[in-house]
């Protein structure tokens, strides 16, 4: 059993366990939102740097599991078509991860909360950018850079990736394959980035490793039970809850 962070009391670890279990369930049921739930939920009581460390290993393991469950059939063709986006996402995750420890605690709460609120609000209103063929390449670099920066700082690059694919009118069947490639490779870059940044260290890796258990248990429950309720309604309720939780993180950062 890995040693847990000395900053955690049993009560705080139980809280993190419950939040991660919920995040895994939502990811298994509707395919996304685990990092958003872990960040906005654990950030209520746990220091932001430890929250970032905690999400790393569960994200890597859960994304690999999700990709394997979806299949690797079209991964190569997806990588060939979207290699510029994948490249900039991976590079920027590595780069942005190095700045997490230099961000003050209050500012970090805002950094964690703003993307949660913004990305969930965009999905709720159903906005999608429209990109012509002429602007595709600049859009790939810009969208990939934004997604990578968010990924390195907060562990969340899924929602920007979905918007990127929607803007290119990517067929739904291809979307799943592309997302699998981006999530899988991005997860590895996140792990490497935070090993280098020092966020994932001897004091924090045990906490992150321990959270793999509730993440996978939650995903298993989500896979089994996800078809038993209205997924669109569940998705919208989840997004509203995340907006409230993200707003609370912003409040903590602004008001202290």
């Amino acid at each position: 059993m890995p040693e847990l962070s000395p900053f955690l009391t049993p009560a705080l670890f139980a809280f993190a366990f419950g939040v991660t279990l919920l995040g895994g369930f939502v990811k298994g049921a509707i395919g996304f939102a685990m990092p958003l739930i872990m960040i906005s939920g654990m950030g209520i009581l746990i220091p932001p740097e430890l929250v970032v460390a905690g999400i790393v290993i569960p994200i890597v393991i859960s994304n690999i599991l999700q990709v394997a469950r979806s299949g690797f059939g079209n991964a190569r063709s997806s990588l060939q078509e979207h290699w510029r986006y994948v490249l900039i996402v991976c590079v920027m995750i590595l780069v942005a991860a190095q700045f997490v420890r230099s961000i003050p605690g209050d500012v970090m709460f805002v950094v964690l909360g703003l993307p949660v609120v913004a990305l969930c609000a965009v999905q709720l209103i159903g906005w999608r950018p429209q990109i012509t063929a002429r602007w595709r390449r600049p859009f790939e670099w810009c969208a990939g850079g934004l997604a990578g920066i968010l990924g390195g700082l907060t562990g969340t690059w899924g929602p920007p990736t979905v918007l990127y694919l929607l803007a290119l009118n990517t067929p739904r069947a291809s979307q799943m394959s592309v997302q699998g490639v981006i999530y899988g490779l991005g997860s590895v870059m996140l792990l490497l980035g935070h090993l280098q940044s020092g966020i994932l260290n001897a004091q924090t890796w045990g906490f992150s490793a321990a959270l793999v258990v509730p993440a996978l248990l939650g995903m298993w429950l989500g896979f089994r039970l996800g078809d038993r309720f209205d997924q669109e309604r569940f998705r919208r309720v989840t997004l509203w809850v995340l907006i409230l939780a993200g707003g609370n993180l912003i409040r903590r950062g602004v008001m202290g």
Side-chain angles (χ1 to χ4, degrees), residues 23 26-28 30-37 66 123 159 183 235 238-239 242:
V26 174
K27 184 176 181 66
I30 60 177
F32 79 103
M34 189 175 85
L36 295 175
I37 290 172
Q66 189 171 23
Q123 292 189 66
Y183 297 163
R235 185 184 74 88
T238 299
L239 292 172
L242 286 169

Side-chain angles (χ1 to χ4, degrees), residues 2 16 38 40-41 58 72 81 95 144 160 165 188 192 218 241 243:
M38 292 178 71
S40 57
F72 296 93
E81 182 178 356
V95 172
L165 295 173
V188 175
L192 295 175
V241 172
I243 285 177

Side-chain angles (χ1 to χ4, degrees), residues 76-146:
R76 182 176 179 180
S77 60
S78 297
L79 187 57
Q80 288 175 336
E81 182 178 356
H82 299 277
W83 69 268
R84 283 181 291 268
Y85 182 84
V86 174
L87 175 64
I88 192 62
V89 167
C90 289
V91 169
M92 292 309 299
I93 285 176
L94 283 172
V95 172
Q98 309 313 306
F99 292 92
V100 171
R101 302 195 80 177
S102 63
I103 299 175
D106 289 346
V107 176
M108 193 62 187
F109 278 122
V110 177
V111 169
L112 293 175
L114 273 177
V116 172
V117 173
L119 296 172
C120 290
V122 165
Q123 292 189 66
L124 277 170
I125 65 177
W127 177 78
R128 57 187 292 178
Q130 298 294 323
I131 303 298
T132 63
R134 176 185 176 186
W135 292 99
R136 171 167 177 164
R137 185 167 296 183
F139 178 69
E140 283 182 317
W141 290 114
C142 292
L146 173 62

Side-chain angles (χ1 to χ4, degrees), residues 6-219:
F7 303 108
L8 283 176
T9 64
L12 282 179
F13 178 70
F15 173 71
F17 189 101
V19 170
T20 306
L21 181 68
L22 175 61
F25 176 79
V26 174
K27 184 176 181 66
I30 60 177
F32 79 103
M34 189 175 85
L36 295 175
I37 290 172
M38 292 178 71
I39 288 168
S40 57
M42 290 195 297
I44 295 173
L45 298 177
I46 297 174
E49 189 172 306
L50 188 56
V51 171
V52 174
I55 70 176
V56 173
I57 298 178
I59 287 176
V60 173
I61 301 299
S62 62
N63 278 338
I64 290 174
L65 177 63
Q66 189 171 23
V67 172
R69 191 171 187 265
S70 301
F72 296 93
N74 297 318
R76 182 176 179 180
S77 60
S78 297
L79 187 57
Q80 288 175 336
E81 182 178 356
H82 299 277
W83 69 268
R84 283 181 291 268
Y85 182 84
V86 174
L87 175 64
I88 192 62
V89 167
C90 289
V91 169
M92 292 309 299
I93 285 176
L94 283 172
V95 172
Q98 309 313 306
F99 292 92
V100 171
R101 302 195 80 177
S102 63
I103 299 175
D106 289 346
V107 176
M108 193 62 187
F109 278 122
V110 177
V111 169
L112 293 175
L114 273 177
V116 172
V117 173
L119 296 172
C120 290
V122 165
Q123 292 189 66
L124 277 170
I125 65 177
W127 177 78
R128 57 187 292 178
Q130 298 294 323
I131 303 298
T132 63
R134 176 185 176 186
W135 292 99
R136 171 167 177 164
R137 185 167 296 183
F139 178 69
E140 283 182 317
W141 290 114
C142 292
L146 173 62
I149 291 170
L150 290 176
L153 295 177
T154 69
T156 300
W157 62 98
T161 296
V162 172
L163 290 176
Y164 159 77
L165 295 173
L166 289 174
L168 298 182
N169 295 311
T170 306
R172 182 160 183 81
S174 298
Q175 282 188 37
M176 303 312 294
S177 176
V178 177
Q179 288 179 54
V181 171
I182 295 169
Y183 297 163
L185 292 176
S187 297
V188 175
M189 294 301 106
L190 184 69
L191 175 64
L192 295 175
H194 282 311
L195 285 172
Q196 178 65 32
S197 73
I199 288 288
L200 203 61
N201 55 43
Q203 292 184 319
T204 60
W205 83 268
F207 173 53
S208 189
L211 292 183
V212 171
V213 175
L216 296 186
L217 177 59
M219 287 182 69

